[in-house]
Amino acid sequence: MSSRYAVILAAGQGTRMKSKLYKVLHQVCGRAMVDHVLTQVEAAGLDQIVTIVGHGAEAVEDLLGDRSEYAFQEEQLGTGHAVLQTEKIIGDKEGMTLVVSGDTPLLTAKTFEKLFAYHQAKGAKATVLTAKADDPTGYGRIIRNDIGIVEKIVEQKDATKEEAAVKEMNTGVYCFDNATLFNALHQVTNHNAQGEYYLTDVMEIVKAAGGIIAAYQMPNFSESLGVNDRVALAKATQIMQERINTQHMRDGVTLIDPATTHIDIDVKIAPDTIVEGEVNLKGHTEIGSDCYIGSLSELVDAKLHDHVHVTSSTVEEAEMMSHSDIGPNSHLRPKAVIGEEAHIGNFCEIKNATIGARTKVGHLTYVGDATLGTDINVGCGVVFVNYDGVQKFHTNVGDHSFIGSNSNLIAPLDLAQHSFVAAGSTITDDIPEHAMAIARARQVNKNDYWQKLPLAHDQNWL
Ligand code: UD1
Ligand code: CA
C-alpha cells in the first residue's frame, strides 16, 4: 500500500466563535475539537500526521503533544495557503494525503477509510468528501456537470444563485495524490470574494491539468458538521452526546433519560449500572457495574467500584469502593476515598480523607485531611478542623470509634481505636484506646430562675 499522510487544519482564530479561546480548542463532550479530529485520524492508521497551527499554536501543540508534527502558518491567508505550509515536511513524498479541518469533530476514521478507498477505486488525483445538507448555508457547494461529474467547489460567498441552490456541500475533507496537491497549491490565487487562497480551488486546477477529480458523498450529513460558531458547537455536542449515550446503552448501561444525561467521551461505565436524567459524568470518570447514579449528580474524574449508589451529589477526583453510598447533596472533593459499604449521607463534604469500610458519616459533616478506620460512627454536624489559617493538619480516627454529634476535632489529632467523643466536644488532645473524651463546659441548672424574671410577677402575663 502506498504511504498515507494527513494534514489537519487548525491555524484559524475562529472569529465567528467570538471567543478568547482558539476555535479548535473548544470542547465537545470533554475533548477539544482538534483532539477529536486527531483521534479519528490516528485510528485510520496513517504514516505521518501534520497539524497546521497559527493562532494559539502553543496551546494546540501543548494539547496534542507528539501525537502530531506541526507546520506554522504565520498569517491566515486561507485553507490553501495553510496546507502549503506543510510542503517542507511532506511536499516531496509519494502517496496519498488526507486533509481535514480541525473544526469538524464528528467525522470518523471509518469515513476516512471509505474516502481513501473511493479515491483509489476512481483512480483520482483529488477526491472531496461531500454530503447533502437540507440547509447548506455557509459551506462550499459541489458543482457537478450534466452527467454528474464534479467540476469544482464554489464557496458560498462566490456562488451564483444557481450554485448556491445546490444542496451537496463540501465537508472540508479531501484525499489527494500528494505530488499533485503541492503542484496545484502553487497555482491557487486569492482572486475571490474573501481574498483568500482556497484549498477548494485545487479541484478545478487538477481537473484543468487533466487529472481525475472525484467526490465521495457520505450518507450522513450530521457527521460532517463544521463548527464555526457557538450554535454549531451546541449542535455538535448534541450529536456527539447521542453517539456516546447510544454506545453506553448498547454496552448494557441503563440511561433513564438519555437526552438530559451528559457523558464525556472518555467516561467508562460497566454494564447494569443505571444513570438517571440530569446527570453529568465528566473527564475520565470510571463507574463499575450495578451502580446507581441519581438525578442532579455530577462526577468529575471520579472512580466508582461496583454497587455504588450516588444520590444527587458531586464527586470530583475521588474514589468510592463497592457498596458505598453518598447523598443526597454531599460533595466528595479531590483525594477522598470512601471504603466498602461506607455511608456518606446528607450535606457532607469530604476532602483528602480516607473513610474505612462500614464507617458512617451521616449528616452535615466536614471531613478534611483525615484517615478514618473501619466501623466508625460520625455523628451529625462534626467538623474536622484541619486548618489554622496557615497550615493544614491531619487527624487519625481508629476503628470502631464513636464521634458524638456537633464535635470539633482540632488537628493534628490521634484518636485510638474504640475511643469515644462525647457530643458537643471540642477535642484538642489525643484520645487513648477505649477512653471517652468530654470537652465541653459542664451543665449547670439555675433552679427557680423563672422567679428572677419581672414577668413572673406580672399578673396580667400569668
Ligand atoms: C471550509 C471550506 C468550505 C467547506 C467548509 C467545511 C475553504 C475555502 N472552504 O470553509 O468549502 O464547506 O470548510 O467545514 O476551504 N484554517 C487555517 N488557516 C487559514 C484558514 C483556515 O488553518 O488560513 C483552518 C481553520 O482553523 C479551520 C479550517 O481551516 O479549522 C477551515 O477554515 P474555516 O475558516 O472554518 O473554513 P470554512 O469557512 O468553514
Ligand atoms: Ca469551518
Side-chain angles (χ1 to χ4, degrees):
M1 193 165 65
S2 67
S3 295
R4 304 194 301 180
Y5 313 97
V7 171
I8 300 173
L9 292 129
Q13 160 92 50
T15 323
R16 290 164 280 183
M17 295 296 282
K18 307 224 165 87
S19 176
K20 290 184 291 298
L21 188 65
Y22 306 107
K23 175 165 73 176
V24 298
L25 293 177
H26 279 263
Q27 296 212 336
V28 170
C29 297
R31 187 182 283 173
M33 291 200 282
V34 68
D35 194 349
H36 277 291
V37 172
L38 176 58
T39 303
Q40 294 302 320
V41 167
E42 285 171 333
L46 306 181
D47 298 291
Q48 202 172 354
I49 302 170
V50 185
T51 303
I52 300 155
V53 293
H55 282 286
E58 223 173 275
V60 175
E61 289 181 34
D62 276 356
L63 177 73
L64 304 180
D66 58 11
R67 293 162 62 196
S68 171
E69 291 174 54
Y70 301 94
F72 188 68
Q73 185 191 23
E74 206 165 309
E75 266 185 294
Q76 280 59 57
L77 303 179
T79 48
H81 177 260
V83 176
L84 199 49
Q85 310 311 306
T86 66
E87 192 171 31
K88 296 180 285 292
I89 304 174
I90 54 168
D92 60 353
K93 305 244 160 134
E94 263 182 44
M96 292 186 290
T97 302
L98 176 78
V99 176
V100 47
S101 294
D103 67 351
T104 45
L106 299 165
L107 287 161
T108 61
K110 228 186 208 165
T111 298
F112 298 150
E113 295 289 4
K114 285 185 187 158
L115 178 66
F116 274 122
Y118 189 87
H119 175 79
Q120 281 180 301
K122 290 284 167 188
K125 293 288 186 200
T127 303
V128 57
L129 179 70
T130 76
K132 263 213 169 105
D134 291 338
D135 176 13
T137 306
Y139 293 104
R141 307 296 204 280
I142 307 300
I143 308 302
R144 296 176 184 260
N145 67 15
D146 297 343
I147 53 166
I149 309 266
V150 194
E151 301 261 284
K152 59 178 175 181
I153 302 170
V154 178
E155 288 308 291
Q156 160 125 2
K157 287 184 178 148
D158 302 294
T160 63
K161 226 174 150 194
E162 291 77 51
E163 288 168 340
V166 171
K167 301 271 194 208
E168 190 181 8
M169 49 71 83
N170 169 21
T171 66
V173 182
Y174 319 79
C175 181
F176 297 105
D177 167 66
N178 196 56
T180 307
L181 169 64
F182 287 97
N183 200 351
L185 279 175
H186 283 287
Q187 299 169 53
V188 170
T189 66
N190 63 353
H191 305 147
N192 52 51
Q194 303 188 80
E196 287 184 3
Y197 296 89
Y198 292 162
L199 176 60
T200 46
D201 285 356
V202 164
M203 303 300 285
E204 209 178 347
I205 292 167
V206 171
K207 181 160 181 146
I212 297 174
I213 64 170
Y216 169 61
Q217 190 181 315
M218 57 196 275
N220 181 357
F221 164 75
S222 67
E223 192 186 312
S224 66
L225 186 78
V227 174
N228 294 325
D229 61 19
R230 311 266 184 163
V231 177
L233 184 68
K235 185 80 197 155
T237 299
Q238 191 191 354
I239 295 169
M240 182 70 79
Q241 193 60 81
E242 199 178 327
R243 209 187 267 177
I244 292 169
N245 289 4
T246 301
Q247 191 58 49
H248 284 298
M249 291 188 280
R250 297 234 182 277
D251 292 344
V253 177
T254 295
L255 302 184
I256 306 264
D257 183 12
T260 63
T261 306
H262 304 282
I263 305 179
D264 277 354
I265 188 150
D266 290 315
V267 170
K268 294 191 174 76
I269 313 176
D272 283 324
T273 278
I274 299 173
V275 182
E276 290 185 348
E278 306 283 359
V279 164
N280 293 326
L281 305 177
K282 296 184 179 171
H284 287 83
T285 290
E286 272 182 53
I287 302 177
S289 61
D290 299 290
C291 292
Y292 198 97
I293 315 296
S295 277
L296 305 178
S297 293
E298 175 156 297
L299 276 53
V300 186
D301 295 322
K303 185 168 172 60
L304 272 51
H305 294 252
D306 301 338
H307 296 279
V308 171
H309 201 121
V310 177
T311 308
S312 51
S313 291
T314 299
V315 180
E316 44 171 337
E317 295 171 44
E319 183 170 1
M320 296 182 73
M321 301 306 176
S322 47
H323 294 278
S324 62
D325 76 290
I326 184 170
N329 304 309
S330 282
H331 186 184
L332 297 185
R333 291 172 48 206
K335 296 195 196 143
V337 179
I338 310 303
E340 281 183 24
E341 293 177 51
H343 165 68
I344 312 298
N346 315 257
F347 301 100
C348 294
E349 175 180 336
I350 302 195
K351 182 217 80 170
N352 186 32
T354 303
I355 309 292
R358 297 173 303 281
T359 286
K360 294 184 175 67
V361 183
H363 336 265
L364 301 155
T365 287
Y366 171 66
V367 183
D369 302 305
T371 306
L372 278 66
T374 65
D375 304 287
I376 294 167
N377 189 79
V378 177
C380 175
V382 173
V383 178
F384 282 64
V385 183
N386 58 332
Y387 186 48
D388 65 1
V390 183
Q391 271 181 285
K392 300 267 166 68
F393 299 94
H394 198 88
T395 295
N396 295 310
V397 182
D399 300 346
H400 297 279
S401 294
F402 181 95
I403 315 293
S405 294
N406 198 30
S407 297
N408 303 307
L409 307 180
I410 300 186
L413 214 50
D414 257 305
L415 276 55
Q417 57 180 341
H418 291 281
S419 62
F420 298 81
V421 172
S425 293
T426 291
I427 302 296
T428 53
D429 297 327
D430 294 351
I431 309 176
E433 195 174 340
H434 294 149
M436 176 175 74
I438 308 179
R440 64 184 185 220
R442 195 175 274 281
Q443 179 169 332
V444 177
N445 290 340
K446 305 278 186 186
N447 290 333
D448 289 331
Y449 177 70
W450 174 255
Q451 293 300 329
K452 297 201 166 115
L453 299 177
L455 277 178
H457 311 286
D458 182 338
Q459 292 306 314
N460 292 330
W461 180 259
L462 294 170

